Amino acid sequence: MIVLAIDTSNQPLSLAVLKDGTVMGEKLINIKRNHSLQAMSEVEALLASLDVEPASLKRIVVAKGPGSYTGVRIGVTLAKTLAWSLKIPIVGVSSLLSLAWPGKYFDGVVVPLMNARRGNVYTGLYEYRDGWQTLEEDRNVAMSDWLVHLAEREDRVFFTGADVDVFWEEIQSVLGKRAYRVSEEEAYPSAVMMAKHAEGLPDEDAHGFVPNYIRLAEAEANWLKEQEKKNG
Amino acid sequence: MGIETSCDETAASVVRNGTEIISNVVASQIESHKRFGGVVPEIASRHHVEQMTIVVEEALEQADVTMDDIDAIAVTEGPGLVGALIIGVNAAKAIAFAHQKPLIGVHHIAGHIYANRLIEEMKFPLLSLVVSGGHTELVLMKEHGSFEVIGETRDDAAGEAYDKVARTLGLPYPGGPHIDKLAQEGTPSVKLPRAWLEEGSYDFSFSGLKSAVINTLHNAEQRGEEIDVKDLAASFQESVVEVLTEKTKRAVEEYGVKQLLLAGGVAANKGLRTRLTEMFGEREDLELVIPPLSLCTDNAAMIAAAGAVMYEQGKRSTLTMNANPGLML
Ligand SMILES: [Zn+2]
């Protein structure tokens, strides 16, 4: 069974092709380049280099968010349209979990971070114990609140993702020596890890598959607020 | 197969030989955007992702064909909302790759013009008056696939002016049809400007007219006068229609065209249709083609129709095609 995994929710593009659970090939592009331009053609190039025909794909795994709205949509649109076209299942994996892989052998909990601007982050709480476990669901939260919350736990905390840089001082000031960070060369998403993790997840239907934005669109959030005001 | 997602319609269509519609599916988001008083790009993009594969599947089902019967995938490459275009472009790329079919990027306005070919075979040279929410252009075509923009708007598109004036008049979004309806009931008794621009220019400008309407309303308010909204709507529409049709007429004469095509969402405007029919409907040296309403507003059949001609001409896009919000015709 050949599986294609795609992550376009961060600046890096991460692709992987696995056959019966073994990595056939993977690709990471970690420079600033438009996913809408490159993602499909890089999938084509990777599959061609592995001699895999599109029709041989049996499952598509995709990072479903959170992350850059546009970035996530590009991956999800490609994945669901490929899945629908090839009549194969699609499986969504958290974009945050895709960043968690360097924490696999860490003795403690893993916290992937994505900068969501204005002091907010997309984050979640994970742990590797017989596979990846979600301790706390992905969320959009003020970094200061999240750190207070993490400080209540006793664990050592491993922070992953390229955006750790932005918050490292703040993290240290709250968690002190309990905080660890991913090294620079491992601060990128891993489609391989997503594909492995997805082996234990149920198939989803392509038509109904949508990104997990976590946040409402700004216009919608404002509109809802106004409705509440109107209704007292 | 055509795919279109440049604004707030998710659309897919199957067209035979670029001239015959087999299916034409449009999922409109207008109800969702109404509460915001206009199209919100982020919301539009979210709806496109939800609808994309459903709409394409429906287009195949209604056409009673499979992907094996499809020769090429044509998709709107631009212009439009970038976040919206991206969904159609990437979906089209995925379909083209999965089924190993040729991919063709189409200019949205070329699509609007080619909507006419689904009604009537094109006769060159032809002139197309393109009026929509984002465009007001006079396009001269000497042969298939060749577009010469001889006039365009320097500020607001006609449809944009309609929407803004409608908002000032307190009409719901989208405003165009409401103004059109009011205008039918009123008389053009309010003096409003016409922007002819320099002598011989085929360009348009509607922002001055829009401001004049807003000023007329404000002044009347300040003086405590009642203004008849129907008459104001009729006067605004009269000014737009007169400039559009007079410039079109001059271009028709100068270029000696055989066909005049109306294209774009504002082509649904009754005032404009009626005037064009009065001016050109009876002429023997010129054929006037006005597509039905369903082909004037955004749809994917028009993208397939334009794509079919490009396919015949051997034009192909690669999988590195990107959405291009500022694409030139
Ligand atoms: Zn249009």
Side-chain angles (χ1 to χ4, degrees):
Chain A
M1 169 150 122
I2 301 183
V3 174
L4 168 68
I6 304 171
D7 188 347
T8 59
S9 45
N10 291 276
Q11 186 174 300
L13 169 71
S14 178
L15 304 173
V17 181
L18 277 70
K19 187 176 185 182
D20 302 327
T22 304
V23 179
M24 288 180 83
E26 69 170 320
K27 185 173 232 165
L28 174 77
I29 295 180
N30 196 12
I31 55 169
K32 205 174 171 128
R33 199 191 277 160
N34 193 317
H35 289 317
S36 173
L37 180 144
Q38 71 173 354
M40 188 65 245
S41 63
E42 292 297 347
V43 167
E44 179 188 42
L46 177 60
L47 290 178
S49 73
L50 301 172
D51 271 328
V52 174
E53 301 276 328
S56 315
L57 297 174
K58 291 292 171 273
R59 207 181 197 212
I60 311 276
V61 176
V62 67
K64 66 177 176 186
S68 141
Y69 292 163
T70 303
V72 170
R73 270 196 288 270
I74 291 164
V76 167
T77 301
L78 285 176
K80 73 185 276 183
T81 314
L82 281 173
W84 171 77
S85 297
L86 299 167
K87 298 189 171 63
I88 57 175
I90 182 171
V91 185
V93 174
S94 161
S95 305
L96 286 162
L97 188 55
S98 175
L99 292 171
W101 65 272
K104 185 169 177 180
Y105 300 110
F106 180 74
D107 181 18
V109 293
V110 181
V111 174
L113 290 180
M114 274 186 225
N115 191 352
R117 314 272 169 240
R118 289 178 237 154
N120 294 312
V121 287
Y122 292 118
T123 189
L125 191 63
Y126 293 91
E127 184 182 26
Y128 189 85
R129 195 180 354 102
D130 304 323
W132 283 100
Q133 314 295 330
T134 308
L135 302 181
E136 292 192 31
E137 291 297 327
D138 293 353
R139 66 198 59 199
N140 176 230
V141 62
M143 187 60 184
S144 50
D145 294 347
W146 182 233
L147 284 171
V148 169
H149 181 67
L150 291 175
E152 288 163 4
R153 301 182 62 99
E154 312 252 295
D155 324 274
R156 297 167 2 126
V157 189
F158 188 71
F159 291 88
T160 64
D163 291 342
V164 172
D165 246 2
V166 182
F167 300 102
W168 186 237
E169 271 182 33
E170 193 183 349
I171 292 169
Q172 278 186 308
S173 72
V174 180
L175 294 177
K177 283 196 158 29
R178 280 167 53 209
Y180 296 79
R181 63 177 294 177
V182 69
S183 61
E184 210 175 316
E185 77 279 9
E186 290 183 332
Y188 59 83
S190 168
V192 168
M193 185 276 204
M194 281 180 11
K196 279 310 277 187
H197 180 68
E199 285 173 4
L201 298 179
D203 292 343
E204 295 174 61
D205 169 55
H207 282 330
F209 194 92
V210 288
N212 177 24
Y213 299 105
I214 296 201
R215 278 198 301 201
L216 286 174
E218 208 176 331
E220 190 146 38
N222 293 339
W223 181 79
L224 284 173
K225 249 187 243 160
E226 258 173 46
Q227 298 304 303
E228 270 169 32
K229 253 191 237 159
K230 264 188 216 161
N231 302 332
Chain B
M1 165 171 287
I3 293 175
E4 146 72 32
T5 63
S6 68
C7 189
D8 61 344
E9 327 270 7
T10 318
S13 166
V14 179
V15 167
R16 186 177 286 133
N17 301 328
T19 56
E20 187 192 339
I21 299 177
I22 314 293
S23 70
N24 191 14
V25 179
V26 181
S28 173
Q29 309 172 359
I30 205 153
E31 287 305 320
S32 173
H33 294 284
K34 257 185 186 163
R35 60 198 156 133
F36 309 116
V39 176
V40 179
E42 174 61 24
I43 307 265
S45 304
R46 291 187 179 198
H47 284 305
H48 286 310
V49 178
E50 289 161 18
Q51 294 296 323
M52 198 66 251
T53 56
I54 298 171
V55 166
V56 174
E57 182 168 283
E58 186 148 349
L60 288 173
E61 271 172 12
Q62 285 188 14
D64 199 17
V65 296
T66 67
M67 280 309 301
D68 295 338
D69 304 311
I70 302 292
D71 292 308
I73 317 290
V75 63
T76 308
E77 187 178 355
L81 300 171
V82 63
L85 289 165
I86 274 178
I87 308 305
V89 164
N90 280 280
K93 290 206 272 192
I95 296 170
F97 174 68
H99 295 281
Q100 301 288 297
K101 304 277 183 188
L103 177 71
I104 298 162
V106 172
H107 192 287
H108 184 75
I109 295 304
H112 272 304
I113 295 171
Y114 270 93
N116 285 278
R117 195 165 176 242
L118 297 162
I119 309 301
E120 194 65 52
E121 188 51 73
M122 288 173 157
K123 297 177 188 74
F124 301 105
L126 66 78
L127 183 72
S128 184
L129 172 62
V130 185
V131 259
S132 73
H135 300 270
T136 309
E137 290 173 14
L138 277 169
V139 181
L140 180 69
M141 288 182 70
K142 290 181 179 146
E143 58 187 343
H144 277 303
S146 113
F147 306 92
E148 192 185 328
V149 179
I150 60 168
E152 61 194 328
T153 183
R154 295 189 184 166
D155 38 62
D156 293 352
E160 226 175 325
Y162 265 90
D163 284 341
K164 285 179 186 167
V165 166
R167 208 171 301 158
T168 316
L169 295 177
L171 300 171
Y173 171 86
H178 291 283
I179 294 191
D180 191 21
K181 195 157 162 270
L182 284 177
Q184 306 301 323
E185 298 164 11
T187 42
S189 53
V190 186
K191 252 196 143 60
L192 291 172
R194 276 118 177 91
W196 297 112
L197 305 174
E198 316 81 72
E199 179 142 348
S201 170
Y202 289 118
D203 281 352
F204 303 98
S205 165
F206 294 104
S207 73
L209 172 62
K210 175 195 70 193
S211 307
V213 173
I214 295 170
N215 287 340
T216 307
L217 263 178
H218 283 317
N219 291 343
E221 245 168 51
Q222 272 172 1
R223 288 197 298 264
E225 289 171 10
E226 272 285 318
I227 213 159
D228 189 336
V229 176
K230 288 174 186 166
D231 289 348
L232 190 57
S235 307
F236 166 74
Q237 174 134 314
E238 175 62 26
S239 171
V240 174
V241 168
E242 187 180 324
V243 173
L244 288 176
T245 52
E246 283 304 320
K247 294 214 176 203
T248 301
K249 184 156 190 271
R250 222 162 17 82
V252 161
E253 306 309 344
E254 182 179 338
Y255 294 99
V257 298
K258 294 188 180 139
Q259 237 177 7
L260 173 61
L261 314 179
L262 186 57
V266 181
N269 184 287
K270 217 172 156 198
L272 182 58
R273 286 172 169 252
T274 311
R275 184 71 54 85
L276 283 174
T277 311
E278 282 167 10
M279 284 172 83
F280 304 105
E282 301 288 309
R283 284 176 60 154
E284 296 206 337
D285 58 334
L286 177 81
E287 184 181 22
L288 173 67
V289 186
I290 302 182
L293 301 187
S294 62
L295 292 178
C296 292
T297 49
D298 290 351
N299 64 85
M302 67 185 201
I303 301 303
V309 169
M310 295 171 73
Y311 177 75
E312 293 294 328
Q313 292 177 338
K315 292 179 184 153
R316 303 288 184 268
S317 301
T318 68
L319 290 181
T320 57
M321 170 175 45
N322 196 5
N324 184 349
L327 188 67
M328 302 289 282
L329 190 62

